[in-house]
Amino acid sequence: NYWEDLDLSSSGFSVEEFLREEQESEEDRLEQELKRLESLLEERRDIHSETVEELESKLDWYVERVEDLYHGFGGVQEERKERLKSKIEEFYSEIRSEKRQQWRDRTELEMEVREVEQALEEVRDEDELRKLLE
């Protein structure tokens, strides 16, 4: 009686259909994850570009101030030149830091994309194998 109770085919349950639906669900989930990661990559690129543009704009402003001061004379000017040069160095440092961070973010996201693509390929391969066995 126990084995008869476990016979799900009499109740209309199909193991093959269940597995196919689970596989389709997994494929859909992976495709959504892939789209999410690609969207994050694009968003990070945009943020990075915007940040670097802003830093470079500020850097240009400070460089122009230093150039203006180099055409002037006096001890006060020297003090301002040094402050401006220091600020310029900070902006160069911030730009380098931003580029390093963007590289790390992009590398991590691209690695996740590859993992999802690999999992998606495995699901699709399983589907092809299942179709061949039918």
Side-chain angles (χ1 to χ4, degrees):
N1 285 340
Y2 179 75
W3 291 110
E4 288 175 12
D5 290 342
L6 286 178
D7 184 17
L8 299 173
S9 62
S10 63
S11 65
F13 181 79
S14 165
V15 172
E16 291 84 13
E17 182 67 21
F18 173 77
L19 292 174
R20 187 186 61 71
E21 288 173 3
E22 284 299 309
Q23 193 170 4
E24 287 175 2
S25 175
E26 180 67 4
E27 187 173 348
D28 290 344
R29 186 192 67 74
L30 289 169
E31 287 173 350
Q32 290 299 317
E33 180 67 7
L34 192 57
K35 286 178 186 175
R36 184 187 73 79
L37 290 169
E38 288 169 348
S39 175
L40 279 174
L41 265 170
E42 186 61 34
E43 184 179 318
R44 298 267 170 85
R45 281 187 202 106
D46 292 345
I47 290 170
H48 168 72
S49 294
E50 187 177 302
T51 302
V52 169
E53 281 179 27
E54 184 178 321
L55 288 169
E56 288 174 343
S57 174
K58 289 178 181 179
L59 175 65
D60 290 343
W61 187 87
Y62 278 94
V63 168
E64 287 175 14
R65 298 299 79 74
V66 167
E67 288 172 352
D68 291 345
L69 286 175
Y70 269 99
H71 299 295
F73 299 100
V76 175
Q77 298 293 352
E78 286 303 316
E79 200 174 291
R80 278 189 75 197
K81 284 180 199 175
E82 292 307 313
R83 280 197 314 260
L84 289 172
K85 285 180 186 178
S86 175
K87 203 66 171 158
I88 288 169
E89 289 173 9
E90 287 176 28
F91 281 116
Y92 276 122
S93 177
E94 284 184 52
I95 290 170
R96 282 191 301 274
S97 176
E98 174 61 30
K99 288 182 177 184
R100 275 192 304 272
Q101 182 61 43
Q102 196 270 344
W103 181 82
R104 278 188 221 108
D105 287 347
R106 191 185 79 238
T107 301
E108 289 174 14
L109 284 171
E110 287 173 347
M111 188 168 52
E112 287 183 51
V113 165
R114 284 190 296 276
E115 289 171 0
V116 170
E117 286 174 338
Q118 182 179 1
L120 189 56
E121 188 64 32
E122 288 172 6
V123 167
R124 289 177 177 156
D125 287 347
E126 288 173 10
D127 185 46
E128 290 298 317
L129 182 58
R130 185 183 50 75
K131 287 178 182 175
L132 286 174
L133 295 174
E134 290 179 351

